[in-house]
Amino acid sequence: LPTAVTGAIHDTLSIEPVNVPVKDTLLPCGQNPVYAGFSYTSACEGDSVHFRDSSSVNVNSWRWDFGDGSPPGSLKNPVHRYAGTGTYPVRLTVSDGISKDDSVINIKVYAAPDITISENDTICEGGFLDITAAGANSYRWSPAQNLSSDTGSGVRATLIVSTTYTVSGSIGYADSLSCTDSAAVRIT
């Protein structure tokens, strides 16, 4: 036979304290809190990085930690040159004199190519010389006169007069940045 249970059901509710971070500064009525924000231009090794503040409008002081051990900056929109390639945690701390905020972005300084040129030291019959560049993904040669092409890693120079040829090589990166280097060779 089925049986029924009668009586009261008791639930227990326990409340645990929760730590909620609270700003340590109380703002006067009508005062908006500051917020930190910035953008930057990507850079290749040896180039400068341009930082652009995008913090709230009521900010009146800036402190930039460029993440490389250099002294901090205090300009609104600083320019900084990094000694080498790598990823650097850049921290911007802003204040309006009452409250402050900070923002951290990891920026990357990209490697520049190291262009080298090799030439076949034998002048071939017909007066031409093959020249090859290495160290990049794309190449542009100048002057283009007397060359088989002005692009590509390898070109053929027809020897008419002594000429110095310069090749610029570049490496493209994911954020549309292209780092370049150049080298020259004199053909006589």
Side-chain angles (χ1 to χ4, degrees):
L1 276 215
T3 59
V5 177
T6 59
I9 299 174
H10 298 282
D11 287 333
T12 303
L13 175 66
S14 61
I15 299 174
E16 300 286 329
V18 176
N19 291 325
V20 177
V22 177
K23 292 272 185 181
D24 58 356
T25 305
L26 294 176
L27 298 175
C29 288
Q31 173 90 24
N32 291 325
V34 298
Y35 66 87
F38 67 94
S39 59
Y40 65 96
T41 58
S42 298
C44 301
E45 181 179 9
D47 293 340
S48 295
V49 177
H50 296 259
F51 294 95
R52 186 174 189 280
D53 173 56
S54 59
S55 303
S56 53
V57 296
N58 51 334
V59 169
N60 60 22
S61 73
W62 299 263
R63 184 179 190 281
W64 294 88
D65 178 345
F66 298 109
D68 62 353
S70 65
S74 60
L75 297 175
K76 181 178 181 178
N77 298 309
V79 176
H80 186 73
R81 184 180 306 252
Y82 288 89
T85 62
T87 301
Y88 299 92
V90 177
R91 177 183 301 272
L92 169 61
T93 304
V94 296
S95 174
D96 64 357
I98 298 172
S99 63
K100 67 180 180 177
D101 189 34
D102 66 353
S103 177
V104 177
I105 297 176
N106 289 323
I107 70 158
K108 184 165 176 76
V109 177
Y110 294 93
D114 183 17
I115 303 298
T116 58
I117 296 178
S118 62
E119 59 187 89
N120 178 347
D121 58 1
T122 304
I123 298 176
C124 300
E125 187 176 325
F128 64 86
L129 184 68
D130 291 327
I131 311 168
T132 305
N137 295 342
S138 64
Y139 304 89
R140 175 148 321 267
W141 295 83
S142 67
Q145 292 173 307
N146 304 321
L147 291 179
S148 58
S149 174
D150 67 344
T151 61
S153 61
V155 296
R156 178 167 283 175
T158 302
L159 302 176
I160 295 174
V161 295
S162 293
T163 305
T164 299
Y165 292 103
T166 301
V167 61
S168 295
S170 63
I171 298 175
Y173 290 100
D175 59 357
S176 300
L177 178 70
S178 183
C179 297
T180 62
D181 186 29
S182 62
V185 61
R186 180 153 180 83
I187 307 296
T188 56

